[in-house]
Amino acid sequence: MNNKNDKKNIMKIFIILTSLFLLITFILVKNNLDIDISDFIFEGICLILIVIGFIISLELKVKTLSVGCAIFAISMFNDSLDELKFIPFSKWQNLIFEKFLFGLGIIFIVYGFYKIINQKNTLLKELNHLALSDPLTNLLNIRSLENKLKLDIEQASKNNTKIGVLFIDLDKFKLINDSLGHNAGNYILKKVAKRLRLVTRQEDTIARLGGDEFILILNDINETNEIIDIVRNIINVFKTPPFILKEKEFTVTCSMGISIFPDDGKDIETLFKNADIAMYKAKENQGNTYEFYNYKMSEQMDKNIEIEHKLKHALEKREFILHYQPKVDIKTNKITGLEALVRWKCPEKGLIYPNNFIPVAEETGLIKKLDEHILELSCLQIKEWINEGLNPPNISINISGKTFYENDFLDRLESILEDTEVSYESISIEITETAAMKDKKYTYKILEQIRSKGIKILLDDFGKGYSSLSYLKDFPIDVLKIDKSFVDNICYNNIDSSITRAIIDMAKALKLKVLAEGVETEEQLRLLDNFSCEEYQGYLFSKPLPVEKIEIMLTKNTEKTEAI
């Protein structure tokens, strides 16, 4: 009995029945009735115990044991009455109650205990299975995998063979969970487990680490090519056939990190850590691929951890500053706006450019605080210029996808503008094409709300992502920024030139302004002018400048400045 109250109740019943029995015995003796007192007491105690057993069997829900206890109790009750010599009993009555029911009760009780023991063994097996396997996919869990891998390492050391440890993580699985629900996600995980079983060899071991992560142990490896063949099979088995969910087809891909025993580690912890590092490297390469671990990855990981720690400190100490790059009208060569670009003014290393810390901020989630800080600095600068009598042009601020998809993004945006007393029309928001297309319905809703307040919207890095024109024509945006990768080669590459021209023509048809990024030569500028591009920014006019130099440019209304 597991419940303390149940145990107390049983004890109460036992005391009550015992007290009642003793009272009856006392009355019988007191009245000098003819009874066999020793047998009566013994059989009475047995009856009490069997009644308690009957109650317990009801709690255990073992019908056979309950029936056996009930029959046995009837037999014992009759046997107790038989000890009362003043009550006559016929032979057939004694035969039925004392012989037949007694034997039948014993048979049921024995069979009931057999069922209890059998159920217990079955339960122990189930508990053992649950302790060693993942309940959703029925694969091994991490605990049993580690036990198995320990034995595999010992065997590989004796046989002088290698072991491949694969960390497998599903790409963008969170989107499935968020958009379709956890039941749909669980369905995909079970299907993934089934497909992974198809490509594993008999000597390999597969387990689910948790969430959307799996681990595959490849035994008896002699050459790296053996691992590559299996990894490619995994990538292919994910591609075809597509996953079917609610009568819709879904493409699920994965990123894999691989460490090898003994080359990348001689113990489980090191092998797992290095495979995990390699898997995140595969994630950085846009997923649907694999990476073998190498020591440089650990060095980069340690470096990123150091940067993360310093980033947190820098945000607290407000060590970030803004440089501003002008946006220029191609026809008039006049400044039409500025783009705020963050720099880290580190006391130890000096000025640090964003490519050295933005990726870490994105990975760790610190980008959200950094985006807010950049927005606040931009607004404070606008207010300062206005107080100094300047008429600052519109400043555009880059917002990361992670910040854009935060539930409180709009509230934070409004709060900063109100706190700094800057008008909505003074700023623009830049969001990358890739981030915008992640959730089209959400993007449309948020951009519509931002634009309704008078804030202009710029779609950054256009052409680099995968926009659907059917959505693009409906998005509430004002400016398309052509990605620098197209501008770089428009003078030498007919394909890039044709794509750039097509983007400009399409934008004009959609009544959108076009701004070309990364313009560095007069030849590029002339070609963009011929294509009817309206604005540009790049080193040809000016590199991003600190506030002191951009102020001079704005004050003098300088048309062009040298690259510094």
Side-chain angles (χ1 to χ4, degrees):
M1 307 291 289
N2 295 323
N3 193 301
K4 289 184 178 180
N5 290 329
D6 289 341
K7 291 178 180 178
K8 288 180 179 179
N9 291 334
I10 295 295
M11 186 58 67
K12 286 178 182 178
I13 293 170
F14 177 77
I15 293 170
I16 291 169
L17 289 176
T18 303
S19 301
L20 184 60
F21 174 72
L22 292 174
L23 179 62
I24 293 170
T25 305
F26 175 78
I27 293 171
L28 291 171
V29 174
K30 184 76 173 174
N31 290 285
N32 294 317
L33 296 173
D34 187 13
I35 60 171
D36 190 336
I37 190 65
S38 58
D39 285 350
F40 180 75
I41 291 174
F42 174 75
E43 290 165 0
I45 292 172
C46 288
L47 176 61
I48 291 170
L49 292 176
I50 203 66
V51 169
I52 297 298
F54 174 73
I55 295 170
I56 293 173
S57 69
L58 292 176
E59 291 288 336
L60 294 175
K61 296 180 181 179
V62 182
K63 291 183 179 179
T64 311
L65 185 59
S66 299
V67 171
C69 288
I71 294 172
F72 196 78
I74 293 170
S75 175
M76 290 304 300
F77 180 69
N78 182 81
D79 209 14
S80 297
L81 292 178
D82 191 35
E83 304 306 328
L84 303 176
K85 302 301 183 181
F86 56 88
I87 300 176
F89 282 91
S90 61
K91 286 185 178 181
W92 67 264
Q93 192 173 352
N94 287 334
L95 181 66
I96 291 173
F97 286 96
E98 293 187 23
K99 306 296 182 187
F100 177 72
L101 291 184
F102 182 85
L104 187 63
I106 292 293
I107 292 170
F108 272 91
I109 289 172
V110 170
Y111 183 65
F113 276 112
Y114 166 77
K115 286 190 71 175
I116 289 175
I117 293 169
N118 194 45
Q119 287 175 0
K120 182 181 178 182
N121 289 335
T122 302
L123 181 60
L124 287 173
K125 286 180 181 178
E126 290 177 357
L127 290 173
N128 187 55
H129 178 72
L130 288 173
L132 298 175
S133 65
D134 172 58
L136 179 65
T137 61
N138 213 29
L139 297 174
L140 294 180
N141 61 17
I142 186 64
R143 177 185 170 189
S144 52
L145 180 76
E146 288 178 347
N147 293 335
K148 175 74 167 54
L149 182 55
K150 186 177 180 180
L151 298 174
D152 291 341
I153 288 174
E154 291 175 1
Q155 192 64 40
S157 299
K158 292 177 183 177
N159 298 339
N160 198 29
T161 56
K162 296 184 178 183
I163 298 174
V165 177
L166 274 69
F167 265 43
I168 305 169
D169 186 88
L170 305 187
D171 298 325
K172 300 177 183 177
F173 180 73
K174 189 175 183 294
L175 287 177
I176 295 176
N177 262 345
D178 291 347
S179 58
L180 300 176
H182 287 285
N183 288 337
N186 288 341
Y187 174 82
I188 293 293
L189 289 173
K190 286 190 278 189
K191 290 296 181 183
V192 165
K194 188 175 181 181
R195 293 195 185 189
L196 288 175
R197 286 193 191 97
L198 294 175
V199 294
T200 52
R201 305 167 303 171
Q202 189 174 358
E203 62 268 29
D204 299 333
T205 308
I206 183 168
R208 181 180 174 221
L209 180 59
D212 60 345
E213 292 185 326
F214 299 83
I215 303 177
L216 180 59
I217 306 299
L218 306 176
N219 288 303
D220 299 327
I221 298 296
N222 294 304
E223 295 183 3
T224 305
N225 286 338
E226 296 176 50
I227 298 177
I228 293 174
D229 289 341
I230 294 171
V231 166
R232 285 175 177 169
N233 286 338
I234 293 173
I235 291 175
N236 290 332
V237 84
F238 271 75
K239 286 181 181 177
T240 53
F243 292 85
I244 307 295
L245 185 61
K246 296 181 180 179
E247 299 182 352
K248 292 183 180 179
E249 293 186 354
F250 289 86
T251 300
V252 178
T253 60
C254 66
S255 300
M256 287 175 279
I258 307 158
S259 64
I260 300 174
F261 169 85
D263 304 357
D264 303 322
K266 296 183 179 180
D267 60 84
I268 294 173
E269 184 179 354
T270 304
L271 289 167
F272 279 8
K273 182 189 76 171
N274 292 340
D276 196 36
I277 291 172
M279 185 266 290
Y280 276 102
K281 184 65 177 177
K283 284 278 188 189
E284 289 176 11
N285 296 330
Q286 306 304 315
N288 194 29
T289 187
Y290 62 91
E291 288 284 346
F292 282 89
Y293 170 80
N294 64 66
Y295 72 93
K296 290 183 179 179
M297 292 180 182
S298 288
E299 291 178 356
Q300 185 62 46
M301 183 68 73
D302 292 340
K303 184 179 178 182
N304 288 350
I305 292 172
E306 182 185 0
I307 292 173
E308 179 187 359
H309 175 73
K310 290 184 176 180
L311 267 176
K312 290 178 181 177
H313 180 79
L315 282 166
E316 292 172 2
K317 298 295 183 182
R318 300 177 70 86
E319 293 176 358
F320 295 96
I321 61 171
L322 297 181
H323 283 193
Y324 300 89
Q325 187 171 36
K327 300 173 187 177
V328 186
D329 185 289
I330 288 181
K331 295 293 186 185
T332 65
N333 214 31
K334 295 285 186 181
I335 296 173
T336 59
L338 301 174
E339 180 179 1
L341 299 165
V342 68
R343 303 289 187 261
W344 181 0
K345 195 173 182 182
C346 180
E348 301 168 4
K349 298 182 179 181
L351 204 63
I352 301 176
Y353 286 84
N355 58 306
N356 292 314
F357 62 86
I358 290 292
V360 177
E362 288 271 9
E363 184 181 329
T364 59
L366 290 173
I367 191 67
K368 298 167 190 175
K369 288 185 178 180
L370 184 58
D371 280 348
E372 285 187 20
H373 188 49
I374 294 168
L375 181 59
E376 182 186 13
L377 289 176
S378 300
C379 291
L380 288 172
Q381 187 60 64
I382 291 171
K383 185 179 181 182
E384 183 180 328
W385 279 337
I386 291 173
N387 291 340
E388 290 175 357
L390 292 174
N391 184 25
N394 183 282
I395 294 181
S396 64
I397 299 109
N398 292 280
I399 298 297
S400 71
K402 286 190 176 181
T403 302
F404 183 76
Y405 283 98
E406 282 291 298
N407 293 330
D408 63 346
F409 168 59
L410 271 178
D411 292 337
R412 295 297 303 137
L413 176 63
E414 291 176 6
S415 176
I416 290 170
L417 285 164
E418 289 172 8
D419 290 346
T420 55
E421 299 177 344
V422 169
S423 67
Y424 289 93
E425 294 79 9
S426 299
I427 67 166
S428 300
I429 295 296
E430 294 194 21
I431 179 172
T432 65
E433 176 191 10
T434 302
M437 299 303 290
K438 182 179 175 182
D439 186 337
K440 303 177 189 71
K441 289 183 180 179
Y442 174 87
T443 298
Y444 180 87
K445 182 181 74 172
I446 298 301
L447 292 185
E448 185 69 33
Q449 292 179 55
I450 294 174
R451 199 164 179 244
S452 68
K453 297 179 183 297
I455 300 174
K456 293 188 182 301
I457 306 294
L458 289 78
L459 195 62
D460 198 9
D461 295 343
F462 188 79
K464 198 175 180 180
Y466 47 89
S467 283
S468 165
L469 296 183
S470 62
Y471 277 97
L472 185 62
K473 70 182 178 66
D474 295 324
F475 272 170
I477 56 177
D478 300 283
V479 181
L480 284 186
K481 295 186 74 174
I482 300 176
D483 187 64
K484 183 180 183 298
S485 60
F486 292 108
V487 176
D488 284 343
N489 299 313
I490 56 171
C491 298
Y492 317 104
N493 188 307
N494 288 333
I495 294 176
D496 284 349
S497 176
S498 299
I499 290 173
T500 302
R501 184 164 198 162
I503 291 173
I504 294 170
D505 290 342
M506 177 198 66
K508 288 194 170 296
L510 296 173
K511 298 180 180 179
L512 300 175
K513 189 175 285 187
V514 183
L515 185 151
E517 294 183 286
V519 178
E520 297 179 356
T521 68
E522 293 285 355
E523 192 176 0
Q524 289 172 338
L525 187 62
R526 279 195 298 271
L527 197 55
L528 288 166
D529 189 19
N530 291 337
F531 291 165
S532 298
C533 181
E534 294 155 294
E535 294 182 352
Y536 79 99
Q537 64 184 110
Y539 278 31
L540 178 63
F541 188 89
S542 171
K543 66 182 292 185
L545 298 173
V547 64
E548 300 84 8
K549 292 184 178 180
I550 205 72
E551 279 179 354
I552 295 172
M553 185 181 289
L554 293 174
T555 303
K556 295 182 178 181
N557 196 25
T558 305
E559 294 183 357
K560 188 173 181 180
T561 186
E562 288 184 39
I564 299 173

